[in-house]
Amino acid sequence: MAMYLRWTFLLVAVLVVTPTVNSECSVGQEVANRSGYLSDFATAIVLVDNVISCDGIITSWQFWPKNSFSFKALVLRQLADGNPSSWTVIGTNDIPVSDVVPNQKSTYIVPVGDRIEVQNGDVIGIAQYHVNPLIAAGSTGSGTLLHVAINAQTSNLLTNGEIFSLTPGSTISTVTSQSIGGAAEPLQVSLSANVEPGCSVGQQVVNRGGILSNVRIAMVLIDNTVSCNGVIASWQYWPKQSFPFKAIVFRQVLTGTTGGSTSTWNIIGINDIPASNVIANKINRYNIPTGDRIEVQTGDVIGIAHYDDGPVIAADAADASNPGTFHQVVVNSCQLQCRILTESEIGNLELGSTITTVSSADISGGSSSSFQVSLSAEVIMPPYSTTGSVWFSKSLHQISESRGSITLTIETNPSITLTTVEIQTADSRGTARAGTDYTPISSKLVEIGPSQTSKSFSVSILPDEEEEYDETFVVAIVSSTSGAVSEPKETTITIVDDDESSKTGCSIGHEVEDRTVEFSHHRLVAVLQDNAVPCEGLVTKWEFWPHKSASFKAVVFRQTESANTAMWKIIGVNDIPVSSVVANKKNTYIVPAGDRIEVKRGDVIGIAQYDDNPLLASDLSETGTTLYVAYSTETSEILSESEITDLKPGSIIKTVTIETLGGAGPLLVSFSAEVEPESQGNGASHYLYQSWMTIFFASVSTLIYLY
């Protein structure tokens, strides 16, 4: 197989972007199989001739991978200094391994809130962590020259840690691939996608050292202005505490009404963010229900109102390199004196209200400084709200396997006269198997008549007698003769396994026996990704073969609701004492009744060990499990002993595959669990499953050696 750069790569991003209704653009080459591959090294590559020709937001990436590994899709912009080798990272999308299907065209739909706002002239790129061929590429025909990212101080290629650190705002230096022995000629790097025109408003949502306010208040972030017409589809924010608040859009109507010190605004829309969607100390995304989306215009401004005397949104003072926004505080009408709103007055803010603001500096304890505020919104531009658009009535469905079929509904604007909608199943996505778990649809036409506002159709669910956990598949709207498709343009169906056999208990993990190597000789927390629970019930015992006697934690994980497959929530922990860990023999730990962990189908087992010594026996094997290793969200290093000790139900961890760190996999690990139906156990602990999380993953400085 041809190899370019000593690497070679194939990626795609397509944009529907620009203020013009129904306008779109694409960037890159056709996505197809090719004889070579872009790279077999961990590296970041700028595809310098794959230039974006419009403004908007990237909504999907398409690519043809040679292997199944996660990677970063990048958007870059040349620095203003004119140096063709200096770039700013405008945005990144982490493509999870579940969306990277080898040897076929793969599509990653970017979640609302993660879409990258781009400008005419930006270019796309890729960052991969693995020392294996990933994206297909070829040297025939017109293509793009490659620039490879280097460390400006050492002139070496970026390390894994430096690649992990690439985030919006990062600057990189590049050299041509030819200068380091790579491809000299342009390469075909396939790219295509579907995108909504749109824009974003606000600053980057990250943790910050300060807070926007620690008192009850309503604020207008006057420099956080909307740059396009459309509807707000999502809010993103980093809260310091879990309190409900109002995300608001304002439109200025009058300035300088009281000696030039106040401003007057109309409230264009309000989204009430419930406390359940405000999870402290992490990035939160609130996807707005279709009927609650706020229609905005260029020049509108976002803001916030919160009821509680406690810190909510993270903020930092701005500087020349990190510009922010000035903020004005909503006050009463100022007829007698200006004062901030009471809790009841904040509660009464509504669409159409006219409010008065003063500078924050005019309020006791306020500041005249500009701040970076971790609050932003994504605006989807038309054709989202155009006449004749069609969409799915729901983005999520659930159906029992035994039901035999599921009914899906397409809705449309009442003013439509007639439209024909093409439907298909996205068979490369989801965990359900086309033809085995459901009947695939390659192309189905659904006609909606002039007197109809919706039309339903069904998809067949195929029952089986296998003991399995819940599975998903996706149905998408491909096109509409009315010319416009709105969100949600696809719906995800979860097939719930209701076989009686799944209620009889199960075991998870590999056979427990002596093996030739150790699972790890470093302190770490590892998720055994492929050791998934196939039933529901309580974990009643753990079995394991240790190579030394040391205490450890047996853990149950559940993937978060985020699209990021590297994010896990801890469902339960059993502390295995050293007295129950006898070296060089099969051990069984019976979980006390009150400590048994309640599990669901699809949960995954794992281990946390404190010591830098060999513990569990394991072997390399293609039939083994992929390992995900946890890192500290503060230091981005392997968790410390104290951090491991602090792990408890509800903790969220961020992980990377062990292969990305130079470790081995997959592995057969001598570690297993037994699950009994809940009716056969007692004293189960029940933990509320809360929400998802996406955390910035910084540089990695610790190398793990497995086995």
Side-chain angles (χ1 to χ4, degrees):
M1 174 180 291
M3 180 173 65
Y4 305 97
L5 246 191
R6 222 186 137 180
W7 321 313
T8 313
F9 176 52
L10 160 78
L11 168 68
V12 178
V14 171
L15 313 174
V16 177
V17 285
T18 80
T20 305
V21 173
N22 294 329
S23 178
E24 63 181 63
C25 69
S26 62
V27 54
Q29 290 85 42
E30 180 188 1
V31 174
N33 194 12
R34 303 187 188 279
S35 59
Y37 49 86
L38 184 63
S39 172
D40 62 355
F41 277 87
T43 188
I45 301 173
V46 182
L47 309 178
V48 296
D49 300 307
N50 284 2
V51 180
I52 296 168
S53 60
C54 58
D55 298 339
I57 50 176
I58 292 182
T59 60
S60 68
W61 297 88
Q62 293 182 335
F63 41 92
W64 190 294
K66 295 288 189 178
N67 284 293
S68 182
F69 294 115
S70 58
F71 66 92
K72 286 181 183 285
L74 310 175
V75 176
L76 306 107
R77 185 175 300 159
Q78 272 194 337
L79 294 181
D81 61 9
N83 185 341
S85 299
S86 298
W87 305 82
T88 296
V89 177
I90 301 303
T92 68
N93 287 137
D94 290 293
I95 314 297
V97 67
S98 58
D99 285 281
V100 185
V101 183
N103 301 313
Q104 68 178 56
K105 183 177 179 178
S106 296
T107 299
Y108 175 69
I109 305 298
V110 184
V112 171
D114 291 344
R115 296 172 179 177
I116 303 168
E117 185 174 5
V118 298
Q119 296 179 6
N120 190 327
D122 292 342
V123 301
I124 61 172
I126 184 175
Q128 67 182 69
Y129 316 108
H130 305 275
V131 290
N132 288 288
L134 183 56
I135 302 298
S139 59
T140 58
S142 60
T144 175
L145 292 173
L146 311 178
H147 278 207
V148 183
I150 60 170
N151 182 303
Q153 280 70 46
T154 66
S155 297
N156 294 328
L157 298 179
L158 298 187
T159 65
N160 255 336
E162 291 168 328
I163 293 173
F164 285 133
S165 298
L166 293 176
T167 57
S170 299
T171 58
I172 62 170
S173 298
T174 60
V175 295
T176 65
S177 66
Q178 183 180 13
S179 69
I180 56 174
E185 74 278 14
L187 294 178
Q188 286 187 316
V189 179
S190 297
L191 182 61
S192 69
N194 296 315
V195 181
E196 295 281 356
C199 61
S200 61
V201 54
Q203 282 89 42
Q204 184 183 3
V205 176
V206 296
N207 193 12
R208 302 184 187 277
I211 54 173
L212 181 61
S213 173
N214 62 0
V215 297
R216 175 197 72 250
I217 204 164
M219 290 185 181
V220 181
L221 307 178
I222 60 174
D223 299 305
N224 285 0
T225 54
V226 178
S227 60
C228 61
N229 298 335
V231 292
I232 291 184
S234 73
W235 296 92
Q236 300 83 45
Y237 40 93
W238 187 294
K240 293 290 191 175
Q241 292 189 28
S242 183
F243 292 123
F245 67 91
K246 292 177 181 286
I248 308 178
V249 178
F250 301 91
R251 186 173 299 160
Q252 196 166 22
V253 293
L254 195 60
T255 304
T257 59
T258 309
S261 62
T262 67
S263 299
T264 305
W265 308 78
N266 278 340
I267 292 181
I268 302 304
I270 296 178
N271 291 134
D272 287 291
I273 315 295
S276 59
N277 285 94
V278 186
I279 310 302
N281 299 314
K282 65 183 72 172
I283 294 176
N284 289 235
R285 181 195 298 124
Y286 179 68
N287 289 331
I288 305 169
T290 302
D292 295 336
R293 292 177 174 178
I294 303 170
E295 190 167 349
V296 296
Q297 297 178 7
T298 300
D300 289 343
V301 175
I302 64 172
I304 185 175
H306 60 87
Y307 314 96
D308 298 282
D309 289 337
V312 178
I313 302 298
D316 273 334
D319 54 42
S321 60
N322 296 292
T325 175
F326 290 98
H327 52 284
Q328 294 186 353
V329 178
V330 181
V331 295
N332 69 334
S333 61
C334 291
Q335 292 177 350
L336 297 177
Q337 63 177 359
C338 294
R339 58 166 175 78
I340 63 175
L341 301 187
T342 65
E343 182 177 347
S344 63
E345 287 171 330
I346 291 175
N348 290 332
L349 293 176
E350 60 184 2
L351 175 66
S353 297
T354 299
I355 56 98
T356 300
T357 62
V358 298
S359 169
S360 175
D362 295 334
I363 300 296
S364 176
S367 171
S368 60
S369 300
S370 175
F371 284 89
Q372 287 193 307
V373 181
S374 287
L375 174 72
S376 70
E378 181 179 310
V379 180
I380 296 176
M381 294 169 58
Y384 174 83
S385 56
T386 57
T387 300
S389 61
V390 296
W391 57 88
F392 278 113
S393 62
K394 295 171 60 178
S395 61
L396 298 172
H397 291 78
Q398 184 170 291
I399 187 73
S400 296
E401 184 182 67
S402 60
R403 292 288 296 275
S405 67
I406 185 169
T407 299
L408 308 176
T409 300
I410 300 171
E411 296 179 345
T412 187
N413 191 294
S415 63
I416 194 171
T417 56
L418 176 69
T419 186
T420 301
V421 183
E422 183 182 2
I423 305 299
Q424 67 177 211
T425 50
D427 298 330
S428 65
R429 300 169 58 198
T431 57
R433 298 159 294 178
T436 300
D437 298 308
Y438 67 94
T439 300
I441 300 173
S442 59
S443 178
K444 180 182 182 70
L445 300 180
V446 178
E447 186 174 282
I448 305 177
S451 61
Q452 299 174 305
T453 58
S454 65
K455 191 68 173 286
S456 298
F457 65 97
S458 63
V459 180
S460 296
I461 306 299
L462 305 178
D464 58 43
E465 296 182 357
E466 293 183 20
E467 185 175 315
E468 56 193 354
Y469 49 89
D470 298 350
E471 298 169 306
T472 61
F473 69 98
V474 176
V475 180
I477 298 175
V478 178
S479 64
S480 168
T481 56
S482 65
V485 180
S486 298
E487 297 283 357
K489 59 178 64 176
E490 61 181 35
T491 184
T492 300
I493 297 94
T494 299
I495 305 173
V496 179
D497 179 39
D498 53 4
D499 292 331
E500 197 63 32
S501 60
S502 66
K503 302 179 178 62
T504 60
C506 58
S507 61
I508 316 103
H510 303 117
E511 184 177 355
V512 175
E513 60 186 11
D514 194 13
R515 302 186 187 276
T516 57
V517 296
E518 288 79 32
F519 167 66
S520 171
H521 60 266
H522 275 276
R523 175 194 74 244
L524 87 168
V525 176
V527 181
L528 310 182
Q529 186 202 25
D530 303 304
N531 287 2
V533 180
C535 65
E536 296 187 359
L538 304 173
V539 175
T540 57
K541 71 177 178 180
W542 299 91
E543 293 188 326
F544 43 92
W545 189 295
H547 277 174
K548 66 163 289 186
S549 181
S551 59
F552 66 93
K553 290 178 182 283
V555 189
V556 176
F557 301 91
R558 184 174 300 158
Q559 249 179 4
T560 68
E561 295 172 2
S562 165
N564 189 345
T565 58
M567 302 298 302
W568 302 84
K569 181 173 184 173
I570 293 180
I571 301 304
V573 177
N574 288 140
D575 289 291
I576 313 297
V578 66
S579 58
S580 297
V581 185
V582 183
N584 300 312
K585 64 177 291 187
K586 182 176 180 178
N587 289 236
T588 298
Y589 177 73
I590 304 299
V591 183
D595 294 339
R596 294 175 179 175
I597 303 169
E598 184 178 355
V599 297
K600 294 182 178 180
R601 285 184 292 262
D603 290 346
V604 174
I605 63 173
I607 183 175
Q609 66 182 66
Y610 311 98
D611 300 291
D612 291 338
N613 289 293
L615 184 55
L616 294 185
S618 62
D619 275 330
L620 280 168
S621 172
E622 292 183 358
T623 61
T625 177
T626 301
L627 309 179
Y628 277 69
V629 179
Y631 280 80
S632 166
T633 58
E634 299 297 329
T635 66
S636 294
E637 297 181 356
I638 301 171
L639 298 188
S640 66
E641 183 174 346
S642 63
E643 288 170 322
I644 294 175
T645 302
D646 290 341
L647 291 177
K648 58 184 180 296
S651 298
I652 302 290
I653 63 168
K654 171 127 184 181
T655 61
V656 293
T657 61
I658 195 61
E659 291 96 330
T660 67
L661 305 172
L667 290 174
L668 288 171
V669 183
S670 287
F671 182 60
S672 69
E674 293 290 331
V675 176
E676 294 182 3
E678 190 167 358
S679 59
Q680 294 179 231
N682 60 72
S685 300
H686 180 73
Y687 304 106
L688 178 64
Y689 185 60
Q690 293 177 333
S691 185
W692 60 270
M693 152 182 179
T694 306
I695 297 179
F696 164 73
F697 189 77
S699 61
V700 176
S701 60
T702 304
L703 181 63
I704 300 176
Y705 299 95
L706 278 195
Y707 92 93

